[in-house]
């Protein structure tokens, strides 16, 4: 609350107290409100009952406060009433800019009234009064702004909590129409379930900076970008490392574009996967989307949005179980021959192009042929046959997952998101940037 200013000597203009032209607050407030409606454009769109009721009362209150301050009276009670009015405007959604424009327009009118009969002899009085005008204006604008923002934050916090509760309920399989109505959000028949992984910002590991602060700022930028793309309070649960977003399937949102916007806001790569589900199936879809994201990251896929149809084979092969273990074991004989394992990886990445593989490995094409024969001899899977190639490709996928249980370091260059061309779905090394 702004401090009240007291005055010992009354200010005179044209031989009378400065505040005299403002004392008929009832009539003057009505005239001012009429002027606001004519001159302050946003006021024209306000409901009639708001203009004739709350807004007129608040204008009268501002006049009373101004007169009291000009005369040196105590004003804490009037300031408190003004703060209550400002809180009500925040709840009703009246723009703060409209309120401030009206206040300043009121001060222009009041100043014109006070100075209407001033002469050159009143110069000193006008000069002394000018500072008081600014003091009164400061008191009113600060009181309105502080109360308005405080109430707005409280309302936003309540709504955010309700949206968070609804999101949690959807992800746990217990949504209710009551929750949805409280949030003002309609439940739809289908959702895009998006799992996100947000790479660490380089400054999070900078010893000269507070990594937690950097991470929180990154998260706030991501949340702001998400709200800009999907509207205020999207259905999301996010941390500094990522999380889950639910997007109604009824929207025409470009989800790939959303992921790119989030990466641009975070200043680091963002990797995402997407699964579609009805509300009752969202819990399973959340689990599936994050499992797919885990698979994508273990296979070192480029940042960006990835779908199940692109990684269906990899996803299935990397599911825990005896099948994955057996496939991974196919390449065990190559453990003592790292050059053979690297040759297989590069050859599959090059879509079986011998010349390109030889160039990448800096060897002759005959060496590639020899190594492929050795791989077939040691593993029992001939890479020159379709069945042998399928087993070796699948084994490399399974082995990549089982021998790299920790997530690979994220690419910290957001520009790399679009550098990798689309390659065959079954080749994990072809997806590495």
């Amino acid at each position: 609350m702004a401090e009240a200013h007291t005055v010992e000597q009354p200010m005179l203009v044209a031989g009378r107290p400065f505040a005299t032209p403002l004392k008929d607050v009832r009539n003057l407030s009505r005239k001012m409100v009429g002027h606001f409606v004519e001159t302050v454009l946003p006021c024209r769109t306000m409901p009639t009952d708001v203009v004739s009721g709350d807004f007129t009362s608040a204008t009268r209150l501002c006049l009373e406060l101004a007169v009291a301050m000009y005369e040196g009276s105590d004003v804490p009670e009037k300031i408190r009433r003004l703060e209550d009015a400002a809180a009500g405007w925040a709840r009703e959604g009246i723009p703060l800019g409209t309120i401030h424009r009206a206040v300043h327009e009121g001060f222009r009118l009041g100043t014109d009234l006070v100075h209407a009969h001033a002469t050159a002899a009143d110069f000193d009085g006008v000069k002394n009064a000018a500072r008081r005008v600014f003091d009164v204006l400061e008191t009113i604008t600060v009181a309105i702004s502080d109360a308005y923002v405080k109430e707005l934050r409280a309302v936003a916090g309540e709504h955010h909590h309700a949206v968070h509760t609804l999101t949690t309920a959807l992800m746990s399989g217990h949504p209710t129409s009551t929750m949805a109505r409280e949030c003002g959000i309609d439940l739809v028949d289908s959702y895009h379930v998006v799992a996100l992984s947000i790479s660490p910002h380089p400054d999070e590991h900078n010893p000269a900076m507070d990594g937690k602060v950097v991470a929180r700022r990154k998260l706030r930028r991501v949340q702001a970008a998400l709200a800009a793309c999907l509207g205020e309070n999207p259905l999301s649960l996010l941390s500094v490392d990522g999380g889950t977003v639910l997007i109604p399937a009824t929207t025409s949102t470009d989800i790939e574009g959303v992921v790119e916007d989030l990466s641009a806001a975070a200043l680091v790569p963002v990797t995402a996967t997407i699964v579609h589900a009805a509300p009752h199936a969202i819990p399973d879809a959340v689990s599936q989307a994050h499992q797919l994201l885990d698979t994508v990251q273990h296979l070192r896929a480029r940042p960006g949005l990835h779908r199940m149809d692109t990684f269906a084979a990899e996803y299935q092969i990397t599911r825990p179980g005896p099948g994955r273990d057996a496939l991974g074991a196919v390449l065990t004989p190559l453990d003592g021959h790292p050059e053979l394992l690297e040759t297989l990886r590069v050859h599959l990445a090059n879509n079986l192009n011998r010349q390109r593989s030889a160039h990448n490995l800096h060897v002759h094409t005959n060496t590639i042929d020899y190594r492929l024969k050795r791989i077939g001899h040691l593993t029992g899977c001939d890479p020159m046959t379709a069945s042998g190639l399928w087993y070796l490709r699948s084994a490399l996928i399974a082995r990549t997952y089982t021998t790299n249980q920790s997530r690979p370091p994220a690419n910290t260059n957001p520009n790399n998101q679009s550098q990798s061309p689309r390659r065959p779905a079954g080749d994990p090394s072809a997806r590495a940037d």
Side-chain angles (χ1 to χ4, degrees), residues 249-266:
T250 54
T251 66
S252 57
T253 303
D254 175 13
I255 301 178
E256 188 167 356
V258 171
V259 174
E260 292 174 355
D261 289 345
L262 297 185
S263 178

Side-chain angles (χ1 to χ4, degrees), residues 116-370:
H117 301 289
T119 65
D122 295 311
F123 176 78
D124 289 338
V126 171
K127 183 178 68 173
N128 293 333
R131 181 175 180 83
R132 187 66 47 73
V133 171
F134 284 109
D135 289 342
V136 175
L137 181 60
E138 176 191 12
T139 298
I140 291 176
T141 54
V142 169
I144 290 175
S145 299
D146 286 352
Y148 189 100
V149 171
K150 181 179 179 181
E151 183 65 23
L152 199 63
R153 285 177 175 171
V155 172
E158 291 173 1
H159 184 66
H160 177 75
H161 177 73
V163 172
H164 187 277
T165 301
L166 176 61
T167 305
T168 303
L170 281 167
M171 293 186 187
S172 62
H174 302 290
T176 69
S177 56
T178 301
M179 291 181 187
R181 282 194 294 269
E182 289 176 351
C183 302
I185 297 174
D186 294 327
L187 296 179
V188 298
D189 294 333
S190 180
Y191 286 87
H192 302 301
V193 180
V194 181
L196 296 175
S197 174
I198 306 172
S199 303
H201 190 280
D203 286 342
E204 291 181 45
H205 304 294
N206 185 342
M209 304 185 72
D210 188 329
K212 292 182 179 179
V213 172
V214 174
R216 286 197 299 270
R217 291 180 62 191
K218 176 187 70 176
L219 176 58
R220 285 196 294 271
R221 293 195 303 271
V222 169
Q223 290 171 328
L226 191 61
C229 293
L230 304 179
E232 291 297 324
N233 292 305
L235 298 174
S236 64
L237 294 178
L238 297 177
S239 72
V240 296
D241 300 314
T244 308
V245 181
L246 305 181
I247 303 174
T250 54
T251 66
S252 57
T253 303
D254 175 13
I255 301 178
E256 188 167 356
V258 171
V259 174
E260 292 174 355
D261 289 345
L262 297 185
S263 178
L267 305 179
V268 294
V270 172
T271 304
T273 53
I274 183 171
V275 176
H276 309 282
H280 71 275
I282 285 178
D284 290 337
V286 170
S287 176
Q288 187 180 76
H290 280 276
Q291 289 175 8
L292 179 59
L293 180 60
D294 191 52
T295 299
V296 166
Q297 290 188 296
H298 273 90
L299 297 178
R300 296 179 180 269
R302 59 178 175 79
L305 182 66
H306 300 279
R307 304 175 186 273
M308 179 63 79
D309 56 359
T310 305
F311 278 85
E314 292 92 333
Y315 177 83
Q316 196 60 41
I317 289 171
T318 55
R319 293 308 86 204
R324 187 184 73 180
D325 296 340
L327 279 174
V330 167
L331 298 180
T332 299
L334 302 185
D335 285 345
H337 306 275
E339 76 285 356
L340 298 183
L341 193 60
E342 179 66 6
T343 297
L344 176 63
R345 186 190 68 79
V346 172
H347 196 50
L348 290 175
N350 286 323
N351 202 23
L352 311 183
N353 186 308
R354 294 165 59 252
Q355 287 76 18
R356 191 179 304 156
S357 297
H359 175 75
N360 292 156
L361 294 171
H362 307 291
V363 297
H364 194 274
T365 53
N366 289 341
T367 302
I368 299 295
D369 293 336
Y370 170 77

Side-chain angles (χ1 to χ4, degrees), residues 68-88:
M69 290 188 67
Y70 289 145
E71 293 181 341
S73 302
D74 291 334
V75 294
E77 177 59 24
K78 290 182 173 59
I79 292 177
R80 186 191 64 77
R81 288 167 53 199
L82 184 60
E83 290 171 338
D84 290 343

Side-chain angles (χ1 to χ4, degrees), residues 371-394:
R371 290 181 179 178
L372 292 176
K373 290 179 181 178
R374 285 278 293 158
I375 291 170
H377 175 74
L378 292 171
T379 63
C381 299
D382 186 355
M384 300 301 181
T385 66
S387 61
L389 184 62
W390 186 91
Y391 268 103
L392 289 171
R393 189 188 298 273
S394 300

